[in-house]
Amino acid sequence: MPTRRQWLAAGALFALTLLVRLPVRWAAPLLPASVHCVQPAGTVWSGHCARAGAGALMLGNVSWSLQPWLLLIGRLAAQVRSDDPDARIEAGLRIGPGGRLELRGLKGQVAIGAGLLPVFPDGWSGTLVLDVSAAEFRNGAPLRIVGVLDASDLRQRPPGGELGSYQLRFDEAAGRGTSVQGTLRDTGGPLAVAARLQIARDGDYELGGTLMARAAASPALAAAVEAVGPADASGRRPFSLAGRF
């Protein structure tokens, strides 16, 4: 007849097996009300949702693979992938205490104008390519970003028309201190842009530099550039924008 120790060992083994193989569909109802997983499949540790997201942001074909050993130090870590036609993204993700979020090896391509990037105004289209080696956020505000964002073939519904292509680069050295800093430049198109972006720890940002309309700019775009202010001797016009993420 099994001893008490054997019964306890068997019970622990059963519980461990159940935990390891816990279907994600059993855990889905425990998610916060703002987090959604449609048609869950697989296990909690390695699963898939036909559609997943938080709030109004939803992506298709989302899969993940958790790293359970980091739970021992209070961090939720996973390799996450989205195969949504409008957002093909892959990244290592870590969530820690105090609203801390870390991303590693973020790579992907997102369609501008698909409603996934609220930073771009309505009526814009194009492609955003992500190549970020590291990024850290606390309560949504960036603490550190190292990588490159390329926005190509930007267009705006009339009257804007073609807007060109741009690169925003965050370097390791520029990310040390009290703010995250990056450089913005055009990579071709109707506007010549050279600017610097500074994001404070509280989420306030400042973007300042110069811009100039090239000959390929539409009349409406050239008029909008002229409205920014007077040009210097080289034809460039200083500009400054500020806001909060």
Side-chain angles (χ1 to χ4, degrees):
M1 186 172 181
T3 65
R4 181 183 179 189
R5 181 175 296 179
Q6 288 172 325
W7 278 116
L8 290 174
L13 180 61
F14 174 78
L16 180 61
T17 302
L18 181 62
L19 181 62
V20 170
R21 298 183 179 180
L22 182 65
V24 68
R25 66 177 182 274
W26 290 7
L30 302 177
L31 292 171
S34 60
V35 179
H36 309 282
C37 176
V38 180
Q39 296 180 9
T43 70
V44 169
W45 309 105
S46 180
H48 173 269
C49 298
R51 289 185 63 77
L57 177 62
M58 293 289 287
L59 298 177
N61 295 320
V62 175
S63 58
W64 67 89
S65 178
L66 288 179
Q67 300 171 4
W69 55 88
L70 286 176
L71 292 173
L72 298 175
I73 59 173
R75 291 194 176 191
L76 177 64
Q79 191 69 23
V80 181
R81 180 184 179 93
S82 165
D83 286 317
D84 190 300
D86 290 325
R88 299 189 182 276
I89 305 171
E90 184 170 5
L93 179 150
R94 291 186 182 184
I95 300 175
R100 197 175 187 93
L101 171 66
E102 299 179 25
L103 298 174
R104 294 291 183 272
L106 171 62
K107 293 182 179 293
Q109 182 172 301
V110 182
I112 298 169
L116 303 174
L117 298 168
V119 68
F120 291 94
D122 289 340
W124 285 40
S125 62
T127 302
L128 180 66
V129 175
L130 310 166
D131 187 4
V132 177
S133 60
E136 298 176 21
F137 302 84
R138 178 176 290 149
N139 297 322
L143 302 177
R144 174 175 174 253
I145 302 176
V146 182
V148 180
L149 309 180
D150 282 293
S152 60
D153 302 323
L154 290 179
R155 294 187 62 85
Q156 182 188 29
R157 285 198 297 264
E162 183 184 352
L163 299 175
S165 300
Y166 305 87
Q167 182 181 90
L168 177 59
R169 177 179 292 274
F170 296 95
D171 294 318
E172 177 74 50
R176 297 172 182 165
T178 59
S179 64
V180 174
Q181 298 182 35
T183 54
L184 175 68
R185 67 179 182 87
D186 72 278
T187 56
L191 292 179
V193 177
R196 190 145 190 92
L197 174 65
Q198 181 170 295
I199 309 173
R201 295 290 192 247
D202 61 2
D204 287 341
Y205 72 85
E206 234 182 278
L207 177 66
T210 61
L211 75 164
M212 179 178 68
R214 295 190 173 108
S218 67
L221 185 58
V225 171
E226 289 182 6
V228 168
D232 61 18
S234 66
R236 293 180 175 269
R237 301 172 191 271
F239 76 94
S240 179
L241 298 172
R244 188 179 183 88
F245 281 105

